[in-house]
Amino acid sequence: ETGVTQTPRHLVMGMTNKKSLKCEQHLGHNAMYWYKQSAKKPLELMFVYSLEERVENNSVPSRFSPECPNSSHLFLHLHTLQPEDSALYLCASSQVRTSVNNEQFFGPGTRLTVL
Amino acid sequence: LAKTTQPISMDSYEGQEVNITCSHNNIATNDYITWYQQFPSQGPRFIIQGYKTKVTNEVASLFIPADRKSSTLSLPRVSLSDTAVYYCLVGSLNTGGFKTIFGAGTRLFVKA
């Protein structure tokens, strides 16, 4: 257990559906991240929130919409996805400090399949 | 951000010491070197982090030469459960702290 939980663990959706992924961290961290990991590809950073403000958006299509209502929760809203969006979606959190590089704690991920 | 280069895969046997080297020729003065481990269908897990010389914790050692253009993760006496992908990351609070870039990693396979 890393202190970061994600729900659901598995999700199957059609291209016209709307769904949301949820991430919650119980570590008191001040930064949260969404990553995408496709089969046999490196992790791709999608979004970063620091102190509930989005500080990074790596050219992610608008069909992915993040939301960070507070420092403990992060959502990824999905709509009109494509089959190539099928992947493992990972959430992470970290405590940004001034002296060291921030260690990220990852959740177990949501395995998303788009039909 | 400094780009990292690692071997794609490595094989080892139980009980052996495994050394995985990462090249990061463009490492910046403020950059730290961090290693993560990832098992299939799980999120990466922090292993160790260092800035220079040698760092050791309960699971691994990290060796960083004076020029810091490479680093070596050393796993002592590996077991079957150490079979995983190992990622080397380079970054700092200002640049890499948020903009973390994972490379392809090194897939370690430990055999009995």
Side-chain angles (χ1 to χ4, degrees):
Chain A
E1 291 295 327
T2 63
V4 180
T5 58
Q6 290 187 242
T7 55
R9 294 294 308 277
H10 300 272
L11 178 63
V12 179
M13 58 187 289
M15 290 191 285
T16 58
N17 292 158
K18 286 185 180 182
K19 297 286 184 183
S20 296
L21 309 185
K22 178 182 176 182
C23 175
E24 184 174 0
Q25 58 97 359
H26 311 273
L27 302 168
H29 288 166
N30 58 14
M32 297 187 76
Y33 311 72
W34 278 118
Y35 288 87
K36 173 185 177 183
Q37 188 171 35
S38 304
K40 298 182 180 179
K41 285 188 179 180
L43 280 82
E44 302 171 56
L45 180 64
M46 300 174 72
F47 301 104
V48 181
Y49 277 82
S50 175
L51 299 174
E52 300 153 43
E53 284 190 31
R54 192 188 308 180
V55 296
E56 197 64 48
N57 178 351
N58 277 353
S59 303
V60 179
S62 59
R63 57 186 184 269
F64 295 92
S65 174
E67 179 191 1
C68 186
N70 55 61
S71 60
S72 299
H73 294 87
L74 185 65
F75 295 89
L76 188 63
H77 304 299
L78 316 171
H79 64 96
T80 59
L81 293 192
Q82 305 298 312
E84 60 264 28
D85 296 321
S86 298
L88 181 68
Y89 288 84
L90 291 158
C91 172
S93 72
S94 71
Q95 181 64 23
V96 177
R97 304 184 189 92
T98 57
S99 59
V100 296
N101 195 26
N102 54 333
E103 173 188 347
Q104 295 183 36
F105 292 78
F106 285 80
T110 295
R111 173 69 62 186
L112 173 68
T113 303
V114 181
L115 301 176
Chain B
L1 282 178
K3 180 182 175 182
T4 60
T5 303
Q6 305 173 233
I8 294 175
S9 64
M10 294 181 69
D11 288 345
S12 182
Y13 289 92
E14 281 189 293
Q16 288 188 332
E17 178 185 76
V18 171
N19 295 309
I20 306 175
T21 297
C22 178
S23 297
H24 28 80
N25 291 320
N26 297 323
I27 189 168
T29 303
N30 294 333
D31 286 346
Y32 281 77
I33 300 154
T34 310
W35 286 79
Y36 285 83
Q37 174 192 56
Q38 186 180 24
F39 297 112
S41 297
Q42 294 186 24
R45 182 176 71 102
F46 173 90
I47 301 175
I48 197 166
Q49 182 180 89
Y51 183 81
K52 62 180 178 181
T53 63
K54 177 183 174 182
V55 179
T56 297
N57 61 23
E58 62 276 9
V59 297
S61 295
L62 180 59
F63 297 92
I64 305 168
D67 65 6
R68 304 200 328 121
K69 293 183 184 298
S70 67
S71 59
T72 299
L73 173 72
S74 181
L75 305 172
R77 298 179 298 281
V78 294
S79 63
L80 296 177
S81 62
D82 292 316
T83 294
V85 179
Y86 292 83
Y87 297 97
C88 164
L89 282 75
V90 174
S92 69
L93 180 65
N94 294 324
T95 59
F98 292 137
K99 206 172 179 70
T100 310
I101 296 180
F102 283 78
T106 298
R107 189 172 297 275
L108 173 65
F109 186 68
V110 180
K111 300 179 243 186

